[in-house]
Amino acid sequence: WIKLCTSGGVLSPGDQPHHSALTPEEIKAAVEEARVQGRKVMAHAQANAGIKNALKAGVATIEHGIWLDGDAIEMMLDGHNALIPTLVAPHWVIRHAEAGKMPSYAIAKAKAVIGDHKESIKQAIESGVQIAFGTDTGVGPHGTNGEEFLLMHELGMEPIDCIRAATSVAAETIGMKGVGSLDAGSWGDVIGVPGDPVANLELLAKPHNIKLVVKGGEVVKR
């Protein structure tokens, strides 16, 4: 995969999240060159224009999608593009920045996007856009990514769809075969929690609830 930044961001000091970056022609050139190498392109795209430019140019997935509108959603549906919301990312930016672990300027930028981000993702969910689980990992501490399940559910995703977004849908999105399901012959990556996560997503959201980890068929935590 090749990742492009087709808009500004929360953590970058020299731009704003609502600013677009790269022209459609530049993005298309990257997509075509990636395709020659058998790769796909994902786009860090927060700005509305950055999202649409990326979709027009042929990117496969949109990361963040803070300012979607009806046209962008229709483009995603028509192109079968997946959306990776990373709803938890701005929350961790604020937490880290307030603790002095990230630049202080990021606090205002993160707070400014959260409301619009939620509304955009809510519209995408209601419209049937394919949602794949992602957290902008590295922003939040390792092991805290489960908080994303609760934020997705809060915006209208059913618990089972939240779980699928992180398993079978995620695997489909990145083109990995034999992972993300419990089918016979699959890779054998499994976690176990004390209860039914479909009834209680908190079981997946909190790391201390993960009582069993099986990696490639080998038990590595129990």
Side-chain angles (χ1 to χ4, degrees):
W1 285 78
I2 304 295
K3 186 172 184 178
L4 300 178
C5 290
T6 65
S7 80
V10 168
L11 284 174
S12 48
D15 55 37
Q16 296 296 323
H18 60 276
H19 292 164
S20 63
L22 300 179
T23 66
E25 292 75 21
E26 289 171 325
I27 302 168
K28 184 177 181 181
V31 170
E32 290 176 349
E33 287 299 319
R35 185 178 296 121
V36 170
Q37 303 297 326
R39 301 176 186 274
K40 293 183 179 180
V41 175
M42 62 177 71
H44 158 100
Q46 301 180 356
N48 182 264
I51 294 167
K52 291 178 180 176
N53 288 344
L55 293 170
K56 290 174 184 175
V59 303
T61 68
I62 297 294
E63 326 298 305
H64 314 307
I66 290 175
W67 285 291
L68 294 166
D69 61 13
D71 290 339
I73 289 172
E74 284 298 321
M75 291 171 70
M76 296 197 75
L77 291 170
D78 290 344
H80 305 288
N81 303 89
L83 173 63
I84 294 80
T86 69
L87 292 160
V88 74
H91 294 280
W92 270 113
V93 168
I94 294 169
R95 294 165 190 165
H96 280 325
E98 288 179 340
K101 298 179 180 180
M102 282 185 175
S104 59
Y105 67 73
I107 296 174
K109 293 174 78 175
K111 288 182 176 180
V113 305
I114 286 177
D116 289 344
H117 195 189
K118 287 182 177 180
E119 184 57 34
S120 286
I121 304 307
K122 185 173 185 290
Q123 289 184 47
I125 291 169
E126 292 173 349
S127 300
V129 172
Q130 180 164 285
I131 306 295
F133 187 97
T135 61
D136 219 12
T137 188
V139 175
H142 181 69
T144 63
N145 55 330
E147 187 178 353
E148 184 82 0
F149 287 117
L150 304 181
L151 296 173
M152 294 163 71
H153 181 47
E154 179 185 313
L155 297 184
M157 285 185 70
E158 294 296 326
I160 188 62
D161 291 326
C162 293
I163 296 169
R164 286 174 178 150
T167 53
S168 57
V169 173
E172 178 186 347
T173 298
I174 62 175
M176 290 191 72
K177 306 297 183 183
V179 298
S181 73
L182 295 176
D183 296 334
S186 290
W187 185 248
D189 290 350
V190 183
I191 62 172
V193 297
D196 181 2
V198 176
N200 180 14
L201 274 175
E202 287 272 353
L203 292 171
L204 293 179
K206 303 298 174 65
H208 64 263
N209 289 323
I210 309 302
K211 305 300 184 183
L212 171 70
V213 178
V214 180
K215 177 65 178 171
E218 178 184 351
V219 176
V220 295
K221 175 185 177 180
R222 75 168 91 201

